[in-house]
Amino acid sequence: MLTDDYTLAILPLACLIAEKPVTAPSIYHKVLRSGVLGYQLYTYHNLVRARFSEQVEQRVRERQLALLSHLGEFGPLLAIINDAVDIGAVTTPTSQGEVVTPVEMTVALALLLGLPESLHYVTHPGQRGEEIARMSPEIDWYFADLLAHGRREMVEIFATLVDKATQGSATDSGVRKRLHPAAAL
């Protein structure tokens, strides 16, 4: 099966680095683009860990970060995403019931407030509430929607890649058996 750490690292790169249209105001383009890419990397790493192992995931992560280093430093970005995902979805009680804010909203706000390239970057936790109030209307929800779409896209890509690698391996094995009977041993 074509699932060594190098192959797993390079398979999704074409999708990851493809420029995807973002219709948000241009002042948000860089943070939205890097945030979606980071969230897709984070998602991919978790899928690799769940399917293969933590050791394989670590090697894939190291290879991908090295391959993508020309685009920026993703280590801090992935740390912000990991911390936000650890918080998870937020449930807020209201007079009409509970409102669940998806984990992508937590990630979106963490990135909007925590990435130095963001217009809303803050260095002190006490500044967060005030800075959230200054954000363009709905940018946080728009960003959360982009992140959720990026996650779904990465899950589909991963499933396709693993299926093709598995099918390719079975096909290769069958061809080898037909071409060389000793290969069946």
Side-chain angles (χ1 to χ4, degrees), residues 147-179:
L147 293 170
H149 176 75
R151 178 187 41 77
R152 287 188 302 271
E153 182 180 58
M154 187 49 58
V155 168
E156 289 173 17
I157 288 168
F158 182 80
T160 301
L161 293 174
V162 170
D163 285 349
K164 285 188 184 223
T166 304
Q167 289 172 358
S169 178
T171 302
D172 292 345
S173 176
V175 169
R176 280 193 302 265
K177 286 179 185 176
R178 284 192 304 271
L179 294 176

Coordinates of all heavy atoms in Angstrom, one line a residue, residues 147-179:
L147 N -13.8 27.6 7.3 CA -13.1 26.5 8.0 C -13.9 25.2 7.9 O -13.3 24.1 7.7 CB -12.9 26.9 9.4 CG -11.9 28.1 9.6 CD1 -11.9 28.6 11.1 CD2 -10.5 27.8 9.2
A148 N -15.2 25.2 8.2 CA -16.0 24.0 8.1 C -16.0 23.4 6.7 O -15.8 22.2 6.6 CB -17.4 24.3 8.5
H149 N -16.0 24.2 5.7 CA -16.0 23.7 4.3 C -14.6 23.1 4.1 O -14.5 22.0 3.4 CB -16.2 24.9 3.3 CG -16.1 24.4 1.9 ND1 -17.0 23.7 1.3 CD2 -15.1 24.7 1.0 CE1 -16.6 23.4 0.0 NE2 -15.4 24.0 -0.1
G150 N -13.5 23.8 4.5 CA -12.2 23.2 4.4 C -12.0 21.9 5.0 O -11.4 21.0 4.5
R151 N -12.6 21.7 6.2 CA -12.5 20.5 6.9 C -13.2 19.4 6.2 O -12.7 18.3 6.0 CB -13.1 20.6 8.3 CG -13.1 19.3 9.1 CD -13.9 19.4 10.5 NE -15.1 20.1 10.4 CZ -16.3 19.7 10.0 NH1 -16.3 18.5 9.4 NH2 -17.3 20.4 10.0
R152 N -14.5 19.7 5.7 CA -15.2 18.7 4.9 C -14.5 18.3 3.7 O -14.4 17.1 3.3 CB -16.6 19.2 4.6 CG -17.6 19.3 5.8 CD -19.0 19.6 5.3 NE -19.1 20.9 4.6 CZ -19.3 22.1 5.2 NH1 -19.4 22.2 6.5 NH2 -19.4 23.2 4.5
E153 N -13.9 19.3 3.0 CA -13.1 19.0 1.8 C -11.9 18.1 2.1 O -11.7 17.2 1.3 CB -12.6 20.3 1.2 CG -11.9 20.2 -0.1 CD -11.5 21.6 -0.6 OE1 -10.7 22.3 0.1 OE2 -11.8 21.9 -1.8
M154 N -11.2 18.3 3.2 CA -10.1 17.5 3.5 C -10.5 16.1 3.9 O -9.8 15.2 3.5 CB -9.3 18.2 4.7 CG -8.0 17.5 5.0 SD -6.9 17.1 3.5 CE -6.6 18.7 2.8
V155 N -11.6 15.9 4.6 CA -12.1 14.6 4.9 C -12.4 13.8 3.6 O -12.0 12.7 3.5 CB -13.3 14.7 5.8 CG1 -14.0 13.3 6.0 CG2 -12.9 15.2 7.2
E156 N -13.0 14.5 2.7 CA -13.3 13.8 1.4 C -12.0 13.5 0.6 O -11.9 12.4 0.1 CB -14.2 14.7 0.5 CG -15.6 14.9 1.0 CD -16.4 15.9 0.3 OE1 -16.0 16.3 -0.9 OE2 -17.5 16.4 0.8
I157 N -11.1 14.4 0.6 CA -9.8 14.2 -0.1 C -9.1 13.0 0.6 O -8.6 12.1 -0.1 CB -9.0 15.4 -0.1 CG1 -9.6 16.5 -1.0 CG2 -7.5 15.1 -0.5 CD1 -9.0 17.8 -0.9
F158 N -9.0 13.0 1.9 CA -8.3 11.9 2.6 C -9.0 10.6 2.2 O -8.3 9.6 1.9 CB -8.4 12.1 4.1 CG -7.6 11.1 4.9 CD1 -6.3 11.1 5.0 CD2 -8.3 10.1 5.5 CE1 -5.6 10.2 5.7 CE2 -7.6 9.1 6.2 CZ -6.2 9.2 6.3
A159 N -10.3 10.5 2.3 CA -11.0 9.2 2.0 C -10.6 8.8 0.6 O -10.4 7.6 0.3 CB -12.5 9.4 2.2
T160 N -10.6 9.7 -0.4 CA -10.3 9.4 -1.8 C -8.9 8.9 -1.9 O -8.6 7.9 -2.6 CB -10.6 10.6 -2.7 OG1 -11.9 11.0 -2.5 CG2 -10.3 10.3 -4.1
L161 N -8.0 9.6 -1.3 CA -6.5 9.3 -1.3 C -6.3 7.9 -0.8 O -5.6 7.1 -1.4 CB -5.7 10.3 -0.6 CG -5.6 11.7 -1.2 CD1 -4.8 12.6 -0.3 CD2 -5.0 11.6 -2.6
V162 N -6.9 7.6 0.4 CA -6.7 6.3 1.0 C -7.3 5.2 0.2 O -6.7 4.1 0.0 CB -7.2 6.3 2.5 CG1 -7.2 4.9 3.0 CG2 -6.3 7.2 3.3
D163 N -8.5 5.5 -0.4 CA -9.1 4.5 -1.2 C -8.3 4.2 -2.5 O -8.1 3.0 -2.8 CB -10.5 4.9 -1.7 CG -11.6 4.8 -0.6 OD1 -11.3 4.2 0.5 OD2 -12.7 5.4 -0.7
K164 N -7.8 5.2 -3.1 CA -7.0 5.0 -4.3 C -5.7 4.3 -4.0 O -5.3 3.5 -4.8 CB -6.7 6.4 -5.0 CG -7.9 6.9 -5.7 CD -7.6 8.1 -6.5 CE -8.9 8.6 -7.1 NZ -8.8 9.0 -8.5
A165 N -5.1 4.7 -2.9 CA -3.8 4.0 -2.5 C -4.1 2.6 -2.2 O -3.3 1.7 -2.6 CB -3.2 4.7 -1.3
T166 N -5.2 2.3 -1.6 CA -5.5 0.9 -1.3 C -5.8 0.1 -2.6 O -5.3 -1.0 -2.8 CB -6.7 0.8 -0.3 OG1 -6.4 1.6 0.9 CG2 -7.0 -0.6 0.1
Q167 N -6.6 0.7 -3.4 CA -6.9 0.1 -4.7 C -5.7 -0.1 -5.6 O -5.5 -1.1 -6.2 CB -8.0 0.9 -5.5 CG -9.3 0.8 -4.9 CD -10.3 1.8 -5.5 OE1 -9.9 2.6 -6.4 NE2 -11.5 1.9 -5.1
G168 N -4.9 0.9 -5.6 CA -3.6 0.9 -6.4 C -2.7 -0.2 -5.9 O -2.1 -1.0 -6.7
S169 N -2.7 -0.4 -4.6 CA -1.8 -1.4 -4.0 C -2.4 -2.8 -4.4 O -1.6 -3.7 -4.7 CB -1.8 -1.3 -2.5 OG -1.0 -2.3 -1.9
A170 N -3.7 -3.0 -4.3 CA -4.3 -4.3 -4.7 C -4.1 -4.6 -6.1 O -3.8 -5.7 -6.5 CB -5.8 -4.3 -4.3
T171 N -4.2 -3.5 -7.0 CA -4.0 -3.7 -8.4 C -2.6 -4.1 -8.7 O -2.3 -5.0 -9.5 CB -4.4 -2.4 -9.2 OG1 -5.8 -2.1 -8.9 CG2 -4.3 -2.6 -10.7
D172 N -1.7 -3.3 -8.1 CA -0.2 -3.6 -8.3 C 0.1 -5.0 -7.9 O 0.8 -5.7 -8.6 CB 0.6 -2.6 -7.5 CG 0.6 -1.2 -8.0 OD1 0.1 -1.0 -9.1 OD2 1.0 -0.3 -7.3
S173 N -0.5 -5.5 -6.8 CA -0.2 -6.8 -6.3 C -0.7 -7.9 -7.3 O -0.1 -8.8 -7.6 CB -0.8 -7.0 -4.9 OG -0.7 -8.3 -4.5
G174 N -1.9 -7.6 -7.8 CA -2.5 -8.6 -8.7 C -1.7 -8.6 -10.0 O -1.5 -9.7 -10.6
V175 N -1.2 -7.5 -10.5 CA -0.4 -7.4 -11.7 C 0.9 -8.2 -11.5 O 1.3 -9.0 -12.3 CB -0.1 -6.0 -12.1 CG1 1.0 -5.9 -13.2 CG2 -1.4 -5.3 -12.6
R176 N 1.5 -8.0 -10.3 CA 2.8 -8.7 -10.0 C 2.5 -10.2 -9.9 O 3.4 -11.0 -10.4 CB 3.3 -8.2 -8.6 CG 4.1 -6.9 -8.7 CD 4.9 -6.7 -7.5 NE 4.0 -6.6 -6.3 CZ 3.6 -5.5 -5.7 NH1 3.8 -4.4 -6.3 NH2 2.8 -5.6 -4.7
K177 N 1.4 -10.6 -9.4 CA 1.2 -12.1 -9.3 C 1.0 -12.7 -10.7 O 1.4 -13.8 -10.9 CB -0.1 -12.3 -8.4 CG 0.1 -12.1 -7.0 CD -1.1 -12.3 -6.2 CE -0.9 -12.0 -4.7 NZ -2.2 -12.1 -4.0
R178 N 0.3 -11.9 -11.6 CA 0.1 -12.4 -12.9 C 1.4 -12.5 -13.7 O 1.6 -13.3 -14.5 CB -1.0 -11.6 -13.6 CG -2.4 -11.9 -13.2 CD -3.4 -11.3 -14.1 NE -3.2 -9.9 -14.3 CZ -3.8 -9.0 -13.5 NH1 -4.6 -9.3 -12.5 NH2 -3.7 -7.7 -13.7
L179 N 2.2 -11.4 -13.5 CA 3.5 -11.3 -14.3 C 4.6 -12.2 -13.7 O 5.4 -12.7 -14.5 CB 4.0 -9.9 -14.3 CG 3.1 -8.9 -15.0 CD1 3.7 -7.5 -14.9 CD2 3.0 -9.3 -16.5

